[in-house]
Structure formats: C-alpha cells, structure tokens
Amino acid sequence: MDTSHDDDVYTVSLLSAYLKRLFESVPALKNIWVEGELSNFKKHSSGHVYFTLKDDSSQLAGVMFRGDAAKQGTLPKHGDMVRAHGRISIYEPQGQYQLYCDRFQPLEAAGDLHTQFVALWNKLETEGLFAPETKRPIPVLPRRIGIVTSPTGAALQDVLNILRRRYPLGEVILSPTVVQGESAPPQIMEAIRRVDGAGVDVILLVRGGGSMEDLWCFNNEALARLLRTTRAPVVTGVGHEIDRTLVDGTADRYAPTPSAAAELSTPDVAVLRASLDAGRARVRALVEGTLSEREERLGEATRLLRLLSPTGAIRTHRQRVDDAVTRLAKAMRAALEGRRTQLGQERRALELANPDNLLKRGYAVVLREGRRISRVEDAPPGTQITLHLSDGHLTATVEAAKHEGKV
C-alpha cells in the first residue's frame, strides 16, 4: 500500500493568517521607526489616514487609525519627509504587509531635536542626576497624591480612573498647567512647586502621547533639575512606551504612560485587601493553633496535677480514717460488750463464790485456830473448831472423824 502523500497545501486565507502571526511574533517589528517620503497621503471620512512611505528603491503601505490621528495634532502632508513609528503586520484581506502607524515626526526637526536631547541627557547623566542612589523611594501608602498635568487632557482622566480603581483611599490634588509649547516649562515648574508645597506624598508629572515637538517642553533642563529638589518624590509618565524625555531621567521613578505612573505610585487596594485577609487568616490560624496547643498542655497539666495533688490522697486518708474510726468504734463496742458479758459472768461467779451466799444456803465455814480447813484430816477428834454460819458462829469440839467413802 502506497503511504506517500502530497506536501501540505494552504488556502490563501490560511497563508495570510500564518504570515500575520509570523510578523507579529517578531519583537523588532512591534516597535519600529521607518523613515521615508510620504505619498498617496489621504484622510478617509472614517478619520483613518492612509499613506505610502517610499525611498529611492522601495515603498511601504501604511495606515494611522482615527484615535492616533486625533492625538497627532498637525498631520504631515504629501511629499513630506517623515519618521513614522508603529508596528509591521499583515493586512489579511489583501495579503499585504503594512505599517500600522501611531505617530509621525518631521524628519529634519526630529533629527535636530534628537541631537539636542542627546546632548542634554549626556550632560545631566555626567553630573550624576540620573544615578540610582539619588532616587527616593515612593511611599507604600501615600495619603495625598499630587498630579501635575493639563486639566483637559486625556492623561488626567486615565490617571484618575486608575486611582479610583486601585487606590480610592488617597486624596488627589490637581495642580493644573499647560503641557505643550514654549511657555509650558515655567508653568510646569510652578505647578510642581505649588503641589509640592501642599504637602503631598508623591507627585505625578504626566502627559499623553504626541510628537517629539509636542513633548519637547519636558526636555527643559531647568525643569529636569527641579525634580531633584522637590520634597516629595516624583513619578513621570510622559507620552507612550517609546517616548523618553529628560524629566524621565531625573525623576525618582519613570513610567512609560500616565496610567503606568498611577500604578507605580499606588498599591492596589484589592491586593492590599487580599493581603490583609491572608494576614488575618494566618494570625487566626496561629492564634487557634497556639490556643489549641495551650489547651492541650493545660489539660495534660491538669491531669498531672490531679495525679500529684494531695487532695486525692487527703480524701483517701480521710476515708481510711473514717473507716478506722468506724472499725474502732465497732471494736470498742464489741470489746465493751465482751467486757460487760465477762463482768456479768465474773459477777455471777463471785456471787456464787461469795461465802455469805454459801452460808445463806446452809453451808458453813470451818476454822481451826483461825484458819479455814476443808479436809477431815485437818481436824482430828478432840480438835476445837469454829463454825461460821450466815447469822453467827458456833464453837465445837470434834468427837469423831470420818473420811468420805471410808468406814
């Protein structure tokens, strides 16, 4: 049986989906800048912007969605040399790879500003203003949170939403300021001093995304230096993930977005609650375990105390004493009764042996020369004897003597 088979066959849709996943799995294509000349630049009625980036030998299709286009402010035009940021992926319906752009920068301006930025960054870094050991810790549970930003910008709402969800315990103090243009740096500095003087525990300096020109006020040297002198630590969240400004270097903590700055500055109350519940459970288990152990030890001690306590012995000895007393009393009564019986017997014997009683029954006591005699031979004939009777005595002389049983 032939087991051979053809190579795998893909449909067009499956292949496009496969290539899209392949493109999106490459990290470098998720965060990329592309330079080129804009052509076929047009804004659709939906708000999306479609364009082509080209150089002398190649071209790349691109799209900027409505939300990013609205944040861009001033859009470039056909023929402009630009630097475009975004990600590369596949547009499956047409099987075409393209740039999904989130911002534009004029190429000439971007190059000049970048040179200035690098010079300032190197200057402050050389002075040690970026050194990690100079960074102050962020309070674990800030009571008052200062926010320096535009009161009308989306960044403020993003931060407030995060704070309401994560940490509604903190008091929020807004110090409003403009965050774009030549007049922005001194106003931002004044807003920082104002909120720092209000006794906040942490300051959030935030702004939404924009071009390098839009964010240039945050590259002001005086503003960057001010962040190292505030009483409260400062957390910056300026622009998007790819943006980096001078204040990000001198701030105590840097966050890639305003929302991330809010998260870095506050604990999550849900996590705190879970940690508190877990702590309570551990304490409860510890207390219950300790109580159980102590109860067991107390029970053992109580049982041992009962074994060693003299109370039981005293009670036993008391019972033994009571038994002994009872037995003694019984023995004494028996002895007394015996004595009484013996005494009665002895009394009766005495009464029987009492000469007076004998005399009353007709017996006599024979005396010879004052001594009692009981045998015939003690009084031979001619012996004078005295006979004691119950009512007196007689004197007589023995005329004859006769032994009993003898003639």
Side-chain angles (χ1 to χ4, degrees), residues 161-353:
N161 288 336
I162 294 294
L163 295 180
R164 277 192 291 264
R165 174 176 58 82
R166 285 176 55 89
Y167 192 66
L169 305 177
E171 177 187 358
V172 176
I173 299 177
L174 173 64
S175 186
T177 179
V178 297
V179 289
Q180 183 174 335
E182 294 181 0
S183 63
Q187 295 189 47
I188 296 173
M189 294 170 65
E190 177 57 31
I192 291 174
R193 294 190 184 98
R194 184 168 56 245
V195 76
D196 192 41
V200 295
D201 298 308
V202 63
I203 299 173
L204 306 186
L205 177 59
V206 296
R207 184 205 190 280
S211 65
M212 193 172 191
E213 293 86 349
D214 296 336
L215 304 179
W216 188 250
C217 59
F218 293 96
N219 290 317
N220 182 273
E221 182 178 354
L223 172 58
R225 291 181 182 277
L226 175 65
L227 301 192
R228 304 308 312 142
T229 65
T230 57
R231 182 191 58 80
V234 179
V235 178
T236 56
V238 177
H240 294 306
E241 289 83 351
I242 61 170
D243 296 317
R244 199 67 186 270
T245 61
L246 207 60
V247 295
D248 295 328
T250 58
D252 296 286
R253 290 291 297 274
Y254 153 73
T257 64
S259 297
E263 292 179 352
L264 282 175
S265 306
T266 56
D268 190 336
V269 70
V271 175
L272 291 177
R273 187 178 293 110
S275 177
L276 181 60
D277 291 342
R280 286 174 177 170
R282 287 194 298 271
V283 171
R284 185 181 299 110
L286 179 61
V287 171
E288 290 177 352
T290 302
L291 288 178
S292 178
E293 179 185 356
R294 295 296 173 85
E295 287 177 356
E296 184 176 352
R297 292 172 58 184
L298 180 60
E300 293 176 356
T302 302
R303 288 190 294 272
L304 182 60
L305 183 61
R306 287 173 180 171
L307 294 175
L308 300 178
S309 175
T311 303
I314 290 174
R315 289 175 180 172
T316 301
H317 288 305
R318 282 178 178 175
Q319 185 174 358
R320 291 178 179 175
V321 169
D322 291 342
D323 292 342
V325 170
T326 300
R327 291 194 302 269
L328 179 61
K330 184 177 180 180
M332 291 180 66
R333 285 194 297 269
L336 182 59
E337 189 64 28
R339 292 289 183 179
R340 285 175 180 174
T341 301
Q342 183 181 1
L343 183 61
Q345 293 174 351
E346 290 177 352
R347 183 182 291 114
R348 286 191 296 271
L350 287 174
E351 288 177 354
L352 292 175

Side-chain angles (χ1 to χ4, degrees), residues 118-130 221 225:
V118 171
L120 286 171
W121 185 275
N122 292 338
K123 177 182 178 182
L124 297 187
E125 185 175 29
T126 301
E127 294 182 20
L129 269 65
F130 301 160
E221 182 178 354
R225 291 181 182 277

Side-chain angles (χ1 to χ4, degrees), residues 325-388:
V325 170
T326 300
R327 291 194 302 269
L328 179 61
K330 184 177 180 180
M332 291 180 66
R333 285 194 297 269
L336 182 59
E337 189 64 28
R339 292 289 183 179
R340 285 175 180 174
T341 301
Q342 183 181 1
L343 183 61
Q345 293 174 351
E346 290 177 352
R347 183 182 291 114
R348 286 191 296 271
L350 287 174
E351 288 177 354
L352 292 175
N354 190 344
D356 291 337
N357 292 331
L358 293 173
L359 294 177
K360 288 179 182 179
R361 293 201 303 270
Y363 293 93
V365 177
V366 181
L367 300 176
R368 178 188 175 184
E369 296 179 356
R371 293 188 305 170
R372 189 175 64 181
I373 62 176
S374 61
R375 296 180 299 175
V376 173
E377 60 187 26
D378 291 334
T383 303
Q384 188 177 356
I385 59 176
T386 302
L387 302 174
H388 281 274

